[in-house]
DNA sequence: CGTTCAGTTGACTAACGTCAAGGGTAGTGG
DNA sequence: CCACTACCCTTGACGTTAGTCAACTGAACG
């Protein structure tokens, strides 16, 4: 269905080659509406570690992530950092701000995004009910993910947090990649510090827990920042089934 | 402005006496639309400890809290509990669920709510743009609150968590009560266990931190579950200004 | 071939949790 | 009106988990 719509695009249309068109917000739009939406924005390319926006910036744009991984994080005055979310291709970024951004968005790996003017996007959504509904569903999904993370950070042990993280990354990269990734191998471009700041731990604790899982033959490290999950049942039982990613949102669409 | 609309109501109209009409979702509606919305639902009264809905229940209703405090919490299979949010009068409950509720909603103190059928509310919102916008703002506010809580639970000490909690309750009850509450006295109907489960701590740790703040003359206990904040500056500096309640949403409306 | 930085590991520490006992208070029934 | 009870809160002693500090390893880069 989404494919049908895209088939009508001219060969030179940039959305033609978009890898996430079937999953992105814009997939609800017909060709003409898509063109109209595109006119409002442009493309953003980020290299690793580059920021999309900073905590305190005016939130005047929204973004659809087409490739790479983006992390949102907050910095406390004394330098403590908390990663609020990792965003994967096909997801929407910027819903959580009217006014000023309360967090920084930074590329974990090289990333590309479609940028839209926030006010015009909202105006556009008022006319296109499907778009409004789609972005509301994503917002709801983000809320549920954030609330689930609250449970994880408030009540789970270090082992459980890591298992939950691995479970979610696995789940989400399945959804994303379609084919390609064989079996239970996942790609983890984020550093131990990023993971630690996401899970409310230190890099040392994360490292120790990785070692423990490796020694229990639950996971195995692979070259190129890849990780194979050998005992998925074990991971699932440690993760007590709580998804902390907004992926749940996409599933329900 | 909200008052003007309500002045047109008949004397017997139940919304006439609503204490939160100026702050609730329905405040955006004119008299006729209000009547129409009311026809879809009814009133719910809960005694202390009674549940509004349970984790796993079908999420087919949304609610506007008119009095009392509601807590949302998740239970893990082994009994660990995490309170996800406290909701205060004027706030909207149930946005976070299509499908099944992922948490339980329970009255901390005696509470009353307006109930609306979720599907019909949504349908209604499609026709009334103000309502849709208002509920979207509330949803966004809840997301920001949940994300801020992520920072608190991931990176703050016990002392900071408690200070942040007190700061937020103070802030929110100011917004709610209007006049009435003198100076910096707040009402805390929730138990130490509720607070502990909200802050990702144990009741003993919460109790010890209360004692420490009391001994430092930062707070003072008052009869009737009331608490006076003596040194607000100290509370604010410990709370590093992070609001964890969805109240921020209301402020921006 | 050295430098740098991410990751790992070990020894020690601090913060919070656990377990257990005692005290205050409100509600209940004689 | 006063005991009785139950529950919540507080406090102390001790245990455990994860944090801190520091050294070492190995891969990436110039």
């Amino acid at each position: 269905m989404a494919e049908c719509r895209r088939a009508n695009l001219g060969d030179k249309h940039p959305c033609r080659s978009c890898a996430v068109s079937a999953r992105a917000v814009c997939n609800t739009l017909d060709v003409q509406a898509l063109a109209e939406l595109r006119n409002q924005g442009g493309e953003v390319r980020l290299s690793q570690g580059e920021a999309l926006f900073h905590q305190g910036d005016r939130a005047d744009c929204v973004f659809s992530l087409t490739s790479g991984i983006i992390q949102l994080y907050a910095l406390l005055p004394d330098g403590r950092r908390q990663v609020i979310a990792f965003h994967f291709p096909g997801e929407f970024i910027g819903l959580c701000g009217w006014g000023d951004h309360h967090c920084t968005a930074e590329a974990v790996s090289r990333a590309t995004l479609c940028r839209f003017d926030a006010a015009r996007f909202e105006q556009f959504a008022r006319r296109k009910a499907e778009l409004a509904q789609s972005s509301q569903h994503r917002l709801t999904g983000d809320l549920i993910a954030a609330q689930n993370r609250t449970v994880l950070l408030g009540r789970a042990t270090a082992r459980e947090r890591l298992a939950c993280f691995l479970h979610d990354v696995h789940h989400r990269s399945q959804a994303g990649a379609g084919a390609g990734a064989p079996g239970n191998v996942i790609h983890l471009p984020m550093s131990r510090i990023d993971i630690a700041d996401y899970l409310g731990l230190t890099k040392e604790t994360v490292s120790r827990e990785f070692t423990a899982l490796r020694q229990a033959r639950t996971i195995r490290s692979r070259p190129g920042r890849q990780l194979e999950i050998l005992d998925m049942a074990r991971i699932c039982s440690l993760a007590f089934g709580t998804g902390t990613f907004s992926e749940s949102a996409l599933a329900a669409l």
Side-chain angles (χ1 to χ4, degrees), chain A:
Chain A
M1 186 177 171
E3 278 71 15
C4 297
R5 289 206 187 94
R6 293 295 162 271
N8 293 332
L9 291 173
D11 281 348
K12 289 183 298 185
H13 195 290
C15 292
R16 184 71 194 249
S17 60
C18 176
V20 298
S21 62
R23 283 170 291 133
V25 250
C26 39
N27 100 72
T28 55
L29 299 172
D30 57 43
V31 175
Q32 199 206 319
L34 184 67
E36 206 177 329
L37 182 64
R38 272 199 58 86
N39 280 338
Q40 304 170 13
E43 201 187 38
V44 183
R45 293 179 173 276
L46 298 175
S47 49
Q48 191 194 3
E50 204 177 342
L52 181 62
F53 51 76
H54 288 95
Q55 203 165 346
D57 282 358
R58 186 100 205 121
D60 46 14
C61 289
V62 295
F63 306 89
S64 177
L65 182 57
T66 52
S67 78
I69 296 180
I70 299 280
Q71 59 177 334
L72 305 184
Y73 64 79
L75 283 174
L76 300 185
D78 62 357
R80 279 176 289 179
R81 190 178 82 125
Q82 177 65 41
V83 173
I84 291 167
F86 289 116
H87 280 295
F88 284 66
E91 295 180 2
F92 199 63
I93 296 171
L95 289 163
C96 57
W98 10 250
D100 293 343
H101 286 294
H102 61 294
C103 59
T104 298
E106 187 181 296
V108 171
S109 54
R110 227 139 64 77
T112 55
L113 307 96
C114 290
R115 184 185 64 233
F116 310 108
D117 178 80
R120 295 172 78 179
F121 184 87
E122 201 176 323
Q123 224 177 336
F124 198 73
R126 261 198 279 276
R127 289 189 289 127
K128 297 281 174 186
E130 328 86 77
L131 188 63
Q133 197 183 2
S134 168
S135 67
Q136 197 202 325
H137 276 181
R138 282 161 198 273
L139 186 56
T140 307
D142 283 352
L143 175 58
I144 293 175
Q147 292 185 340
N148 283 341
R149 270 173 63 60
T150 271
V151 179
L152 194 80
L153 294 172
R155 288 297 175 221
T157 64
R159 180 89 29 108
E160 289 167 337
R161 294 180 199 203
L162 185 56
C164 194
F165 170 71
L166 294 177
H167 180 260
D168 285 343
V169 171
H170 175 252
H171 208 222
R172 282 227 284 190
S173 39
Q174 294 283 85
N184 290 333
V185 175
I186 57 180
H187 184 225
L188 287 180
M190 52 288 273
S191 72
R192 293 296 132 107
I193 293 182
D194 292 339
I195 297 172
D197 286 347
Y198 180 70
L199 298 177
L201 301 168
T202 59
K203 63 181 192 303
E204 291 92 339
T205 300
V206 170
S207 188
R208 277 187 254 269
E209 293 302 333
F210 264 116
T211 303
L213 289 177
R214 220 180 290 125
Q215 285 176 349
R217 304 230 153 270
T218 308
I219 59 172
R220 178 162 50 179
S221 294
R222 291 275 185 177
R225 287 183 168 277
Q226 297 217 304
L227 197 116
E228 182 179 1
I229 299 179
L230 299 170
D231 186 349
M232 185 59 81
R234 175 92 185 111
I235 291 290
C236 289
S237 73
L238 282 170
F240 44 73
T242 324
T244 62
F245 279 130
S246 61
E247 178 272 337
S248 49
L250 301 174
L253 279 174

